[in-house]
Amino acid sequence: MADLISSILEIFLEIKYWIKHGKQRKYEKENNLPKKIVWYPYSKQFFILFIIFITVCFLFFYVTNIEKNKENTEKIMIKISKLLEDEKKQFGKYPSELNTLIRNNPLRKGLEFNSWKTPFVYTITKDGKNYKLISKGGDRKLNTEDDISYSSK
Protein backbone atom coordinates (compact mmCIF):
# COMPACT_ATOMS: atom_id res chain seq x y z
CA MET A 1 0.00 0.00 0.00
CA ALA A 2 2.87 2.36 0.87
CA ASP A 3 4.51 1.60 -2.48
CA LEU A 4 1.32 2.51 -4.31
CA ILE A 5 1.04 5.80 -2.46
CA SER A 6 4.69 6.65 -3.10
CA SER A 7 4.31 5.82 -6.81
CA ILE A 8 1.26 8.04 -7.10
CA LEU A 9 3.13 10.81 -5.27
CA GLU A 10 6.08 10.49 -7.67
CA ILE A 11 3.78 10.68 -10.69
CA PHE A 12 2.09 13.73 -9.17
CA LEU A 13 5.46 15.44 -8.64
CA GLU A 14 6.51 14.70 -12.23
CA ILE A 15 3.25 16.13 -13.62
CA LYS A 16 3.62 19.19 -11.39
CA TYR A 17 7.18 19.63 -12.63
CA TRP A 18 6.25 19.40 -16.32
CA ILE A 19 3.40 21.87 -15.89
CA LYS A 20 5.78 24.33 -14.19
CA HIS A 21 8.39 23.66 -16.86
CA GLY A 22 5.87 24.32 -19.64
CA LYS A 23 4.74 27.58 -18.07
CA GLN A 24 8.37 28.66 -17.66
CA ARG A 25 9.18 27.93 -21.33
CA LYS A 26 6.02 29.72 -22.51
CA TYR A 27 6.93 32.78 -20.41
CA GLU A 28 10.50 32.73 -21.79
CA LYS A 29 9.25 32.58 -25.42
CA GLU A 30 6.71 35.38 -24.90
CA ASN A 31 9.29 37.71 -23.37
CA ASN A 32 12.25 36.71 -25.57
CA LEU A 33 14.26 35.49 -22.58
CA PRO A 34 17.04 32.90 -22.74
CA LYS A 35 16.12 29.42 -21.56
CA LYS A 36 16.44 29.10 -17.84
CA ILE A 37 17.71 25.88 -16.33
CA VAL A 38 14.91 24.18 -14.45
CA TRP A 39 15.92 21.47 -12.05
CA TYR A 40 14.12 18.18 -11.95
CA PRO A 41 12.75 17.43 -8.48
CA TYR A 42 15.15 14.52 -8.08
CA SER A 43 18.13 16.50 -9.35
CA LYS A 44 18.07 18.75 -6.31
CA GLN A 45 18.08 15.77 -3.98
CA PHE A 46 20.97 14.10 -5.82
CA PHE A 47 22.93 17.34 -5.85
CA ILE A 48 22.46 17.82 -2.10
CA LEU A 49 23.40 14.18 -1.42
CA PHE A 50 26.46 14.56 -3.63
CA ILE A 51 27.63 17.64 -1.69
CA ILE A 52 27.11 15.82 1.62
CA PHE A 53 28.99 12.77 0.29
CA ILE A 54 31.94 14.89 -0.84
CA THR A 55 32.08 16.63 2.54
CA VAL A 56 32.04 13.35 4.46
CA CYS A 57 34.76 11.89 2.21
CA PHE A 58 36.93 14.98 2.69
CA LEU A 59 36.58 14.81 6.48
CA PHE A 60 37.33 11.07 6.50
CA PHE A 61 40.50 11.45 4.44
CA TYR A 62 41.59 14.46 6.49
CA VAL A 63 41.30 12.55 9.79
CA THR A 64 43.03 9.42 8.46
CA ASN A 65 45.80 11.55 6.95
CA ILE A 66 46.52 13.09 10.37
CA GLU A 67 47.01 9.62 11.85
CA LYS A 68 49.22 8.50 8.94
CA ASN A 69 51.42 11.57 9.35
CA LYS A 70 51.81 10.85 13.05
CA GLU A 71 52.74 7.21 12.42
CA ASN A 72 55.21 8.14 9.67
CA THR A 73 56.83 10.76 11.91
CA GLU A 74 57.24 8.21 14.70
CA LYS A 75 58.90 5.79 12.24
CA ILE A 76 61.29 8.53 11.09
CA MET A 77 62.12 9.36 14.71
CA ILE A 78 62.92 5.71 15.48
CA LYS A 79 65.16 5.58 12.41
CA ILE A 80 66.94 8.75 13.51
CA SER A 81 67.40 7.40 17.04
CA LYS A 82 69.04 4.24 15.67
CA LEU A 83 71.39 6.35 13.58
CA LEU A 84 72.17 8.53 16.60
CA GLU A 85 72.96 5.44 18.69
CA ASP A 86 75.27 4.15 15.94
CA GLU A 87 76.95 7.55 15.85
CA LYS A 88 77.48 7.44 19.61
CA LYS A 89 78.96 3.94 19.43
CA GLN A 90 81.33 4.98 16.67
CA PHE A 91 82.45 8.41 17.97
CA GLY A 92 81.57 8.25 21.68
CA LYS A 93 79.09 11.14 21.61
CA TYR A 94 75.97 12.28 19.85
CA PRO A 95 76.40 14.69 16.93
CA SER A 96 75.76 18.37 17.57
CA GLU A 97 73.32 18.63 14.61
CA LEU A 98 71.03 16.24 12.77
CA ASN A 99 72.54 17.27 9.43
CA THR A 100 75.77 15.46 10.33
CA LEU A 101 73.85 12.16 10.18
CA ILE A 102 72.97 12.68 6.53
CA ARG A 103 76.55 13.05 5.21
CA ASN A 104 75.70 13.21 1.48
CA ASN A 105 73.90 9.87 1.73
CA PRO A 106 70.92 9.98 -0.68
CA LEU A 107 69.06 7.38 1.40
CA ARG A 108 69.06 9.75 4.38
CA LYS A 109 68.16 12.88 2.44
CA GLY A 110 64.78 13.72 4.05
CA LEU A 111 65.55 12.59 7.59
CA GLU A 112 65.71 16.06 9.09
CA PHE A 113 62.03 16.69 8.28
CA ASN A 114 58.89 15.12 9.73
CA SER A 115 55.77 14.10 7.76
CA TRP A 116 54.47 17.67 7.88
CA LYS A 117 57.70 18.87 6.17
CA THR A 118 58.96 20.78 9.20
CA PRO A 119 62.41 20.19 10.69
CA PHE A 120 62.86 18.23 13.89
CA VAL A 121 64.04 20.01 17.02
CA TYR A 122 67.18 18.20 18.17
CA THR A 123 68.95 19.06 21.43
CA ILE A 124 71.69 17.30 23.32
CA THR A 125 72.66 17.63 26.96
CA LYS A 126 75.76 19.57 27.94
CA ASP A 127 77.70 16.39 28.63
CA GLY A 128 76.68 15.00 25.22
CA LYS A 129 75.40 11.69 26.61
CA ASN A 130 71.67 12.19 26.06
CA TYR A 131 69.48 13.83 23.43
CA LYS A 132 65.91 14.87 22.86
CA LEU A 133 64.20 14.78 19.46
CA ILE A 134 60.92 16.69 19.06
CA SER A 135 58.50 16.91 16.13
CA LYS A 136 56.35 20.03 16.16
CA GLY A 137 53.29 18.08 14.94
CA GLY A 138 50.53 19.14 12.60
CA ASP A 139 50.17 22.69 13.94
CA ARG A 140 53.92 23.30 13.38
CA LYS A 141 54.28 24.98 16.78
CA LEU A 142 56.60 23.87 19.55
CA ASN A 143 55.34 22.94 23.04
CA THR A 144 51.76 22.09 22.11
CA GLU A 145 49.86 18.89 22.80
CA ASP A 146 50.32 17.44 19.32
CA ASP A 147 54.13 17.46 19.61
CA ILE A 148 55.87 14.10 19.41
CA SER A 149 59.06 13.71 21.43
CA TYR A 150 61.68 11.00 21.62
CA SER A 151 64.55 10.90 24.14
CA SER A 152 67.63 8.78 24.63
CA LYS A 153 67.62 6.32 27.49
Side-chain angles (χ1 to χ4, degrees):
M1 186 66 174
D3 291 335
L4 178 65
I5 293 171
S6 67
S7 297
I8 292 171
L9 209 70
E10 286 179 25
I11 292 170
F12 174 74
L13 285 174
E14 284 293 322
I15 292 170
K16 184 178 171 186
Y17 165 76
W18 285 111
I19 291 172
K20 180 181 176 185
H21 181 72
K23 287 179 182 177
Q24 180 74 28
R25 293 291 184 234
K26 184 179 177 185
Y27 177 78
E28 290 167 354
K29 284 183 182 180
E30 288 173 355
N31 296 311
N32 268 346
L33 297 173
K35 286 186 178 180
K36 186 177 178 185
I37 297 175
V38 181
W39 289 70
Y40 287 99
Y42 293 117
S43 303
K44 289 181 186 177
Q45 294 170 352
F46 287 127
F47 181 72
I48 291 170
L49 289 175
F50 179 73
I51 296 297
I52 291 171
F53 176 75
I54 294 296
T55 306
V56 168
C57 288
F58 174 76
L59 290 174
F60 174 75
F61 288 120
Y62 179 74
V63 169
T64 56
N65 193 25
I66 290 172
E67 290 301 317
K68 284 182 184 177
N69 283 342
K70 187 175 179 183
E71 290 173 10
N72 289 341
T73 299
E74 289 173 350
K75 288 178 184 177
I76 293 170
M77 291 176 86
I78 290 171
K79 189 174 185 179
I80 291 173
S81 70
K82 288 178 184 176
L83 291 171
L84 287 170
E85 293 300 324
D86 291 343
E87 189 84 10
K88 185 177 180 187
K89 284 181 187 175
Q90 187 174 8
F91 297 109
K93 64 177 185 168
Y94 292 110
S96 59
E97 295 179 356
L98 276 181
N99 290 337
T100 57
L101 287 175
I102 297 170
R103 288 195 189 99
N104 294 331
N105 188 341
L107 296 175
R108 298 179 185 173
K109 188 173 183 178
L111 276 182
E112 71 269 14
F113 298 107
N114 61 16
S115 295
W116 294 279
K117 306 296 183 215
T118 56
F120 287 105
V121 177
Y122 170 71
T123 56
I124 56 173
T125 57
K126 290 182 182 179
D127 59 0
K129 295 183 179 181
N130 294 315
Y131 69 90
K132 189 168 190 172
L133 188 62
I134 301 172
S135 169
K136 295 179 185 177
D139 65 356
R140 295 170 174 85
K141 295 178 184 173
L142 195 58
N143 299 326
T144 56
E145 41 179 80
D146 71 334
D147 292 353
I148 305 168
S149 67
Y150 197 88
S151 299
S152 62
K153 297 171 185 160

